[in-house]
Amino acid sequence: MALSKDEKTLSKTLKDLYNINWEKYQERFNGTKPLEIWTGGRYPMRLWLGYKDREQFLSISSKYKLNRLGNNAYIELGFKKKVDPNEVKKFRYILASSMGPIFQKDIIDKILEVCPDDFEPVKVTLKNWHKNSEPFSIEGFYAINALKVIKAIDESKSEISWSDGIANIGDYNYKEDPWQDGCDVLFGPNSPNNTNRYPPKKLDKPCMIAIDALSGAIVWHPKLAKIIPPHPYLFFAQDFETRVHLYGSY
């Protein structure tokens, strides 16, 4: 089957920069090992987003709330550099600094069909805050408010140390199938926040999108990741070793 324009762009980026061929890349969408969305070396960095009000941003978008925010919740984000709003609208999803991916509604609808209990979509308004540009406002994008937390990292195959209950993570590997390995706290041994509930707690049923308890990253089940349209400059990465190879450092 012929590749789409976005697939061709991503395929070329993966091959040229990371020596990953398209067929090999597709293999990571099989099985159950978690994936993360990461940026390729040719990602147009001017599309990264900043936030106007840090306190508002943190109160709404904290990945550690793990509860629904309700229909009235929204996030307002702005571009700090000059951008073309028509170019912004071409992207089905955008990687926002400190927040993860921002998706257009049609993709959110697809994700909701697969795992409606695992996350809540939160409305996002994209603004232009560059002082020398015409102001604009773009609707129709949504952030992911994950509602599940799992212990996705295989600690026996990873480099992890603890300081005041916070994990310091070096190279790490994800478990092959952690999607029911829930964890009801996000802190480790000797943490002042630890209430002796650190051992994993099983979820009622497997999830398909979650927050990893150790890294705080949003992780995706390969089956779910597979339904998300390819982005020309973003890709689903595996294990920390792969990212060290790709980027040289974390």
Side-chain angles (χ1 to χ4, degrees):
M1 183 180 296
L3 301 183
S4 67
K5 180 179 178 181
D6 285 347
E7 288 174 330
K8 288 179 180 179
T9 301
L10 178 57
S11 176
K12 189 175 190 318
T13 296
L14 293 173
K15 184 63 177 177
D16 290 351
L17 299 184
Y18 315 127
N19 198 29
I20 300 174
N21 65 48
W22 187 250
E23 291 73 21
K24 190 70 175 178
Y25 177 67
Q26 294 303 306
E27 291 177 5
R28 66 189 60 188
F29 297 101
N30 300 324
T32 57
K33 197 169 188 178
L35 301 172
E36 292 181 45
I37 293 180
W38 276 78
T39 174
R42 292 172 178 167
Y43 185 74
M45 301 302 290
R46 61 197 177 94
L47 291 179
W48 278 68
L49 308 173
Y51 47 81
K52 187 174 184 179
D53 184 324
R54 180 175 175 81
E55 293 303 318
Q56 179 196 43
F57 173 84
L58 292 176
S59 67
I60 292 175
S61 66
S62 172
K63 294 183 291 188
Y64 303 109
K65 287 185 178 295
L66 301 173
N67 55 23
R68 292 186 179 274
L69 302 174
N71 294 331
N72 294 326
Y74 75 96
I75 300 171
E76 183 177 298
L77 296 172
F79 293 93
K80 295 181 177 180
K81 296 183 179 180
K82 188 174 182 179
V83 298
D84 180 352
N86 294 318
E87 184 177 356
V88 174
K89 293 175 184 177
K90 292 178 183 178
F91 286 90
R92 307 287 294 284
Y93 53 103
I94 301 171
L95 194 63
S97 57
S98 303
M99 281 195 62
I102 308 298
F103 293 99
Q104 289 200 21
K105 185 179 184 300
D106 64 324
I107 300 178
I108 287 291
D109 289 342
K110 290 180 180 180
I111 301 173
L112 282 171
E113 290 178 2
V114 177
C115 56
D117 299 326
D118 295 344
F119 81 104
E120 173 191 35
V122 180
K123 293 180 181 179
V124 173
T125 300
L126 304 182
K127 298 276 190 175
N128 179 28
W129 294 332
H130 188 267
K131 61 182 179 180
N132 296 323
S133 302
E134 287 292 325
F136 62 76
S137 180
I138 299 175
E139 307 288 343
F141 281 87
Y142 292 80
I144 294 286
N145 177 31
L147 301 174
K148 304 292 176 62
V149 59
I150 62 174
K151 291 194 67 180
I153 291 177
D154 188 337
E155 294 180 68
S156 67
K157 298 180 180 179
S158 306
E159 296 178 4
I160 299 174
S161 61
W162 293 91
S163 176
D164 296 326
I166 304 299
N168 300 307
I169 306 173
D171 289 358
Y172 66 77
N173 285 286
Y174 281 125
K175 299 176 185 176
E176 291 295 334
D177 188 6
W179 298 103
Q180 202 162 349
D181 294 344
C183 184
D184 56 358
V185 294
L186 298 176
F187 303 95
N190 304 318
S191 168
N193 299 289
N194 187 19
T195 57
N196 298 319
R197 295 182 299 167
Y198 176 68
K201 178 181 178 182
K202 291 290 186 180
L203 300 176
D204 293 335
K205 62 180 181 179
C207 59
M208 299 191 76
I209 182 173
I211 299 296
D212 172 59
L214 297 184
S215 69
I218 296 178
V219 291
W220 300 77
H221 191 291
K223 182 179 178 180
L224 181 61
K226 193 172 184 177
I227 72 171
I228 296 176
H231 190 292
Y233 304 107
L234 302 177
F235 67 99
F236 283 92
Q238 300 183 100
D239 297 331
F240 187 84
E241 288 84 352
T242 300
R243 295 200 296 279
V244 168
H245 172 67
L246 298 182
Y247 303 104
S249 63
Y250 181 60

